[in-house]
Amino acid sequence: AGSVNSESADSGSAALLPPPSPPLLFTEPSGGRSDGFCGRILRAQTQGTRREGHHEFRLRVEGDPETYQPGNTYRVVLQAASPSYFRGFTLIALKEGREGTADEDYAGRFQIIDDEDTQFMTNCPPAVTESTPRRRTRIQVLWTAPPSGTGRVILKASIVQKRVIYFQDEGSLTRGETTEVPAMECCACGTAKYRLTFYGNWSEEVHPKDYPRRANHWSALIGASHSRTYVLWEYGGYASEGVRQVAELGSPIKMEEEIRQKGDEVLTVIKTKAQWPAWQPLNLRAAPSAEFSVDRTHHLMSFLTMLGPSPDWNVGLSGEDLCTKDCGWVQRLVTDLIPWDAGTDSGVTYESPNKPTIPQEKIRPLTSLDHPQSPFYDPEGGAILPVARVVVERIARKGEQCNVVPDTIDDIVADIGQEEKEKDDTPETCIYSAWSPWSACSSATCDKGRRMRQRMLKAQLDLSVPCPHTQDFQPCMGPGCSMEAPSSCVVTEWGEWDPCSVTCGAGVRRRERMVKMPPIDGSMCKSEVAEVDKCMMPECHTIPCMLSPWSEWSECSVTCGRGVRTRQRMLKSDPAGCTEELEQTEKCMLPECSVDCMVSDWSDWSECNKSCGKGHTIRTRMIKLEPQFGGSACPETIQRKKCKIRKCRTKGGGERERLLTHERGSEDTPPNTRPAGCRMQPWTSWTGCTKPCGGGMQERFRTAKKRAKGSCKDRREIRVCNNHSC
């Protein structure tokens, strides 16, 4: 399975950078395809340099998948970081190593989402371009991956700002057949220990649409460090029963059982507690974290956690490789997470009723165009705001290391700092404040210098026991310097530091810079474009809460169907300032409730079907709900009773008596039985039935052509129709 490599100057996560292509300067051809297939795109001159600040544009496949699945459809987004913009663009997808001079050079197919923004290029049908040249910061299209066997695919975008086009190779999709793109074997030595910290950002402030104010939570996080041959879950795959239970119920029990059954393929099980409610400031509740280890055989990490309530929505990482190609261990990984659908429940809102997806669908990321009722819906198809962030930090290494490329100074210091922390022999009688932030480096150049931090000795409870130092020093170098050979690329000055990630206690901050000019020889620019540093805010002050253990769960609130159950605990200390929850609620499901048959009210009695003599009249009612799950059967829906209006009068002798009824037609009524001077129209056709089932009514009419005084009236007939059950 291949990988997606993208330059991400404005991304919050580290990314592998492909070797920069020679700068391609494009000019607009005079027209047509006179110089070959898709001549406008391919007329390139390898001259000049990329424009300064080329990182302001980004080409991204939504969900940032590591591989493409043949035949699957992906959203491709081209965007400019503020305040940049572009007036036009061209987007193509080429098979690796192809020049685009023939139809078979192009891979997959694009679909237009918004024809006001995008269209297929007239003189190059496989390419997508702008509909009208105007200022814009973002466009999006859908791309369907080619069939199996295609191999690596390169997505390329050209940006038009005025009359000059700058080409950017901002990403490559690779399809993973092991014969084409073999999986990288880990060559690192020893073991590494990591801490995973989960920061939930799913809140009413960030995601206000239909946010569930009650019972919103993150389920217990479950995962493992494992070998390449074991897959906990993956995009484009099918959820196991353990994944389904996490996704729908938030229960990690089955998932942990599946992980532990894998034996030698798993090194460490990763678990954290559930979070109720889903979001609280870090000064009230620390972000959940867990520690795990990796080695050369078990160098991948996967986890998942459910956001609840939801049908089957989760976040997580799948098969994250912590082994570097230089035979070392990743020092830090920061990834923003968007929700994904497990493919086991078809609900579209947070609290949709259970609706199993049959047949089960593949795991996929949610998008902003899935369904208008979705809480993440955006009619313009924008990217979903992340609901969480995961930070994975290396906290220790053991055994002999064999990095091909030496660690940076910060990397070495991080390990040294951890070793010192593990070997900290500070007496319990010495009470210190937290460490201050590190000072600026004493060297502004690439010569070695050092920086300092301090802490205060608050109390020395035993004067006979000496307290260790209150100052700490660390080796450092000037901005942009490292232990590696100087890069030949030109970079801008560092930008301002972002705000600290926390409002109190220890956090991190980040700053960035951009590549102004890549190396002339076409090699990769080795200068860092992002830097992360620790920061220290005022100490967090919390009042400890003394709580009793949780009680047992109550009985389900219903005797059948879907309900809730609760459990409580008691606060044993001063309630002032204690925000811990004292009651928890979760869903419970009992066998479906029986549903009795429901019928409507009786209609009015119809007119008597005879105008004289004995007849009958009827009334009906409709079945509104059929019985379900053993409910009571439906009662009768039609009733009939006798009616007698008056005796029929005879005319011309008893043997020739004829009854004038609503059921007789005028055409077969002998003239001597009609009232003198009364001439009737033929009967109209029967009207449509008033109900498709459950008993409806039809009627027809006849009117008089000529009326004799007091003896001629319009007639109407009624009959029952569609009296079968619904």
Side-chain angles (χ1 to χ4, degrees):
S3 62
V4 177
N5 295 336
S6 62
E7 293 180 309
S8 52
D10 54 354
S11 170
S13 62
L16 298 176
L17 301 180
S21 302
L24 300 179
L25 177 62
F26 286 79
T27 58
E28 182 74 17
S30 57
R33 293 169 61 176
S34 59
D35 60 344
F37 193 79
C38 296
R40 174 183 175 188
I41 299 178
L42 301 173
R43 179 175 293 172
Q45 299 172 352
T46 54
Q47 61 184 15
T49 61
R50 290 191 181 189
R51 77 183 290 274
E52 182 176 337
H54 68 276
H55 287 287
E56 62 199 338
F57 302 110
R58 186 182 181 205
L59 183 62
R60 176 175 176 259
V61 179
E62 190 170 55
D64 297 324
E66 293 187 357
T67 62
Y68 71 74
Q69 296 294 326
N72 278 15
T73 298
Y74 302 86
R75 188 186 310 277
V76 179
V77 180
L78 177 62
Q79 60 190 31
S82 179
S84 300
Y85 66 91
F86 53 94
R87 293 186 178 277
F89 69 94
T90 303
L91 183 62
I92 58 174
L94 288 175
K95 297 175 184 176
E96 185 179 34
R98 300 295 182 91
E99 297 296 330
T101 54
D103 286 337
E104 57 268 21
D105 291 355
Y106 292 82
R109 67 180 187 275
F110 288 109
Q111 294 174 248
I112 302 299
I113 295 178
D114 187 349
D115 54 15
E116 292 186 2
D117 266 346
T118 53
Q119 66 178 10
F120 291 105
M121 185 175 288
T122 304
N123 60 347
C124 182
V128 177
T129 187
E130 73 279 358
S131 295
T132 56
R134 60 178 176 83
R135 289 172 66 112
R136 70 194 80 210
T137 59
R138 185 178 187 274
I139 65 95
Q140 59 178 344
V141 296
L142 297 177
W143 178 73
T144 300
S148 178
T150 303
R152 184 183 293 267
V153 175
I154 310 296
L155 290 177
K156 295 185 177 183
S158 61
I159 299 298
V160 183
Q161 283 193 308
K162 292 183 181 178
R163 304 183 72 84
V164 182
I165 306 174
Y166 293 93
F167 202 94
Q168 287 192 196
D169 300 336
E170 286 256 17
S172 61
L173 277 175
T174 63
R175 212 204 75 67
E177 295 185 8
T178 55
T179 57
E180 297 176 358
V181 186
M184 185 187 78
E185 293 298 328
C186 180
C187 57
C189 302
T191 64
K193 187 175 183 180
Y194 287 89
R195 178 182 294 111
L196 179 153
T197 307
F198 183 83
Y199 298 94
N201 193 35
W202 178 50
S203 64
E204 188 171 14
E205 181 179 354
V206 181
H207 301 88
K209 183 180 177 183
D210 299 333
Y211 187 79
R213 296 188 176 183
R214 289 182 55 82
N216 60 79
H217 66 283
W218 290 104
S219 75
L221 182 148
I222 182 71
S225 58
H226 56 91
S227 67
R228 188 178 292 280
T229 56
Y230 175 42
V231 178
L232 276 75
W233 71 273
E234 63 179 345
Y235 290 133
Y238 290 98
S240 67
E241 177 59 22
V243 172
R244 186 195 70 80
Q245 290 192 18
V246 175
E248 293 187 22
L249 309 175
S251 171
I253 298 174
K254 180 65 177 177
M255 187 73 206
E256 183 175 354
E257 179 184 322
E258 291 178 355
I259 292 172
R260 295 190 183 278
Q261 286 175 349
K262 290 300 176 178
D264 293 340
E265 293 188 67
V266 172
L267 182 62
T268 311
V269 177
I270 304 171
K271 296 192 295 183
T272 70
K273 294 181 179 180
Q275 299 181 74
W276 295 75
W279 184 88
Q280 275 189 343
L282 290 176
N283 61 343
L284 296 180
R285 181 184 65 198
S289 63
E291 295 181 0
F292 64 95
S293 298
V294 293
D295 59 22
R296 178 179 290 190
T297 304
H298 312 85
H299 53 97
L300 301 183
M301 180 273 292
S302 303
F303 78 88
L304 64 159
T305 176
M306 168 201 181
L307 67 159
S310 72
D312 58 348
W313 299 343
N314 286 240
V315 300
L317 292 178
S318 174
E320 192 69 36
D321 198 341
L322 298 175
C323 183
T324 70
K325 63 181 180 180
D326 299 320
C327 303
W329 298 108
V330 171
Q331 182 183 344
R332 180 181 174 84
L333 173 71
V334 181
T335 304
D336 289 322
L337 305 174
I338 62 170
W340 52 266
D341 188 308
T344 60
D345 192 291
S346 299
V348 296
T349 65
Y350 289 124
E351 300 183 271
S352 292
N354 286 338
K355 186 180 179 183
T357 302
I358 301 175
Q360 183 175 338
E361 294 179 353
K362 293 180 179 180
I363 297 172
R364 64 171 184 86
L366 293 178
T367 74
S368 57
L369 291 175
D370 284 339
H371 194 282
Q373 293 180 4
S374 166
F376 305 108
Y377 181 72
D378 178 0
E380 297 181 359
I384 293 178
L385 289 175
V387 295
R389 170 175 288 187
V390 64
V391 178
V392 180
E393 295 179 288
R394 197 185 73 212
I395 56 176
R397 291 178 296 187
K398 293 183 179 180
E400 182 179 352
Q401 302 297 313
C402 54
N403 303 46
V404 175
V405 177
D407 287 339
T408 64
I409 286 184
D410 284 345
D411 197 4
I412 295 170
V413 169
D415 281 336
I416 294 174
Q418 178 64 26
E419 290 174 4
E420 289 179 351
K421 182 177 180 180
E422 290 175 353
K423 298 176 183 178
D424 187 6
D425 56 354
T426 302
E428 295 181 358
T429 55
C430 300
I431 310 299
Y432 291 94
S433 67
W435 286 106
S436 69
W438 287 104
S439 67
C441 188
S442 62
S443 172
T445 66
C446 290
D447 295 329
K448 290 185 178 179
R450 65 177 187 168
R451 56 183 180 176
M452 181 189 74
R453 63 178 181 174
Q454 302 182 65
R455 60 181 177 178
M456 290 177 56
L457 179 61
K458 289 185 173 182
Q460 187 173 356
L461 304 180
D462 187 348
L463 297 178
S464 65
V465 178
C467 291
H469 59 275
T470 58
Q471 291 184 331
D472 191 14
F473 295 91
Q474 191 180 76
C476 62
M477 299 171 73
C481 301
S482 72
M483 298 296 291
E484 302 172 7
S487 170
S488 58
C489 61
V490 180
V491 295
T492 64
E493 296 294 329
W494 286 105
E496 296 293 326
W497 286 104
D498 291 341
C500 193
S501 61
V502 297
T503 56
C504 66
V508 294
R509 59 179 183 170
R510 176 187 174 91
R511 65 177 181 177
E512 297 177 345
R513 61 181 175 183
M514 294 185 293
V515 177
K516 297 173 67 175
M517 183 184 298
I520 298 174
D521 60 4
S523 63
M524 182 184 298
C525 182
K526 296 182 180 179
S527 295
E528 296 291 337
V529 294
E531 188 176 49
V532 178
D533 189 21
K534 297 177 181 178
C535 53
M536 181 66 68
M537 303 298 287
E539 288 188 62
C540 301
H541 296 285
T542 58
I543 301 175
C545 301
M546 296 181 62
L547 299 164
S548 69
W550 285 106
S551 67
E552 295 295 323
W553 286 104
S554 67
E555 296 293 329
C556 198
S557 61
V558 295
T559 57
C560 59
R562 189 174 183 175
V564 294
R565 61 178 187 171
T566 60
R567 66 176 182 176
Q568 297 84 26
R569 60 181 175 182
M570 295 179 60
L571 179 64
K572 297 182 177 180
S573 58
D574 186 355
C578 187
T579 59
E580 294 290 336
E581 59 180 343
L582 302 178
E583 183 175 271
Q584 286 184 351
T585 303
E586 71 173 16
K587 296 176 183 177
C588 52
M589 176 66 74
L590 294 176
E592 294 285 354
C593 301
S594 61
V595 179
D596 295 334
C597 178
M598 291 179 60
V599 295
S600 65
D601 294 331
W602 287 108
S603 66
D604 295 330
W605 288 101
S606 68
E607 294 181 8
C608 193
N609 72 324
K610 299 285 184 68
S611 61
C612 64
K614 294 181 179 180
H616 67 268
T617 180
I618 63 171
R619 66 174 181 176
T620 63
R621 58 183 172 185
M622 182 179 66
I623 297 175
K624 297 171 69 176
L625 182 64
E626 292 283 355
Q628 298 180 32
F629 310 114
S632 59
C634 294
E636 61 179 344
T637 56
I638 302 174
Q639 286 187 349
R640 181 192 305 259
K641 70 178 181 179
K642 296 178 180 179
C643 57
K644 183 176 181 181
I645 299 177
R646 63 178 181 277
K647 290 184 177 181
C648 296
R649 293 179 294 174
T650 61
K651 186 174 182 179
E655 290 298 320
R656 299 184 61 191
E657 175 183 334
R658 292 183 179 273
L659 300 180
L660 186 62
T661 73
H662 288 275
E663 296 177 336
R664 298 254 179 121
S666 62
E667 299 302 326
D668 60 358
T669 303
N672 62 349
T673 64
R674 300 173 188 156
C678 182
R679 296 178 60 193
M680 304 298 291
Q681 297 279 5
W683 285 104
T684 63
S685 299
W686 288 104
T687 61
C689 194
T690 58
K691 300 175 185 176
C693 56
M697 304 291 292
Q698 286 180 297
E699 57 185 0
R700 67 177 183 175
F701 305 90
R702 66 187 301 183
T703 56
K705 286 184 180 179
K706 181 179 179 182
R707 301 178 185 273
K709 185 175 181 181
S711 63
C712 218
K713 294 182 180 180
D714 293 341
R715 311 283 176 83
R716 181 175 71 148
E717 274 189 0
I718 298 174
R719 70 180 182 185
V720 178
C721 56
N722 293 343
N723 58 358
H724 57 278
S725 299
C726 293

